């Protein structure tokens, strides 16, 4: 009885598997198996990775402004520099100067977005 032809399950490889002991074998090598799993996980977590990268970019801009002691800046300037409002963390309410303010926190930076004046204020 002749063995059926099998091909690697990794779409980037798809080589024929010539020697195998069991019909359960799906990949031509361990590299193909692990690379296929990595690519699949990368595709499944694409949204989470994009959100984490967006948060990181926003943090870099806020940190740069905080280090330069620029605590109030127009939202338009932030947008031109690459700040993306879609990648904000969940909001928190802090008591600042006696008032409850809706703020966001990324690592060590606490800031708020004033939509009426179109400002980003770093505390």
């Amino acid at each position: 009885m002749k063995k059926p032809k099998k091909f690697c399950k990794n779409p980037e490889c798809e080589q024929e598997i010539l020697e195998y002991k069991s019909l359960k074998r799906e990949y031509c090598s361990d590299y193909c198996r692990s690379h296929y799993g990595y690519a699949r996980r990368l595709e499944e977590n694409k949204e989470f990775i994009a959100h984490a990268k967006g948060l990181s970019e926003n943090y870099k801009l806020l940190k740069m402004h905080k280090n330069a002691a620029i605590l109030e800046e127009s939202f338009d300037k932030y947008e031109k520099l690459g700040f993306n409002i879609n990648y904000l963390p969940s909001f928190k309410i802090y008591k600042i100067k006696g008032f409850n303010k809706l703020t966001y926190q990324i690592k060590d930076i606490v800031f708020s977005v004033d939509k009426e004046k179109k400002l980003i204020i770093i505390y």
Side-chain angles (χ1 to χ4, degrees):
M1 182 172 182
K2 192 174 182 180
K3 289 185 177 180
K5 285 187 177 182
K6 292 192 68 133
F7 295 94
C8 186
K9 189 176 175 182
N10 184 0
E12 295 175 8
C13 176
E14 294 183 344
Q15 288 183 352
E16 185 177 356
I17 303 172
L18 299 174
E19 294 183 26
Y20 56 91
K21 294 179 182 177
S22 169
L23 289 174
K24 294 179 184 177
R25 181 153 184 177
E26 297 178 327
Y27 304 97
C28 63
S29 66
D30 287 338
Y31 172 80
C32 275
R33 180 178 48 81
S34 62
H35 186 69
Y36 175 74
Y38 168 77
R40 181 180 46 81
R41 286 187 299 278
L42 196 65
E43 182 64 30
E44 289 172 357
N45 297 323
K46 185 171 37 175
E47 294 172 21
F48 298 110
I49 293 168
H51 188 73
K53 284 182 181 178
L55 270 177
S56 176
E57 291 298 316
N58 286 350
Y59 175 74
K60 288 176 189 175
L61 282 170
L62 291 167
K63 186 72 170 174
M64 181 178 65
H65 279 77
K66 185 175 181 180
N67 290 341
I70 303 170
L71 302 179
E72 280 190 25
E73 190 64 67
S74 73
F75 183 70
D76 295 333
K77 280 191 179 180
Y78 272 101
E79 276 189 327
K80 287 177 184 174
L81 292 172
F83 190 87
N84 193 337
I85 199 146
N86 295 328
Y87 300 120
L88 289 177
S90 58
F91 67 88
K92 296 179 181 180
I93 298 177
Y94 282 105
K95 194 165 198 169
I96 300 172
K97 297 180 183 176
F99 297 102
N100 288 335
K101 296 243 181 184
L102 182 79
T103 60
Y104 303 95
Q105 182 174 3
I106 303 176
K107 296 183 184 179
D108 60 332
I109 297 180
V110 178
F111 66 99
S112 66
V113 179
D114 189 349
K115 293 180 182 177
E116 295 171 3
K117 298 178 185 177
K118 291 191 175 185
L119 287 174
I120 291 183
I121 305 165
I122 301 172
Y123 300 105

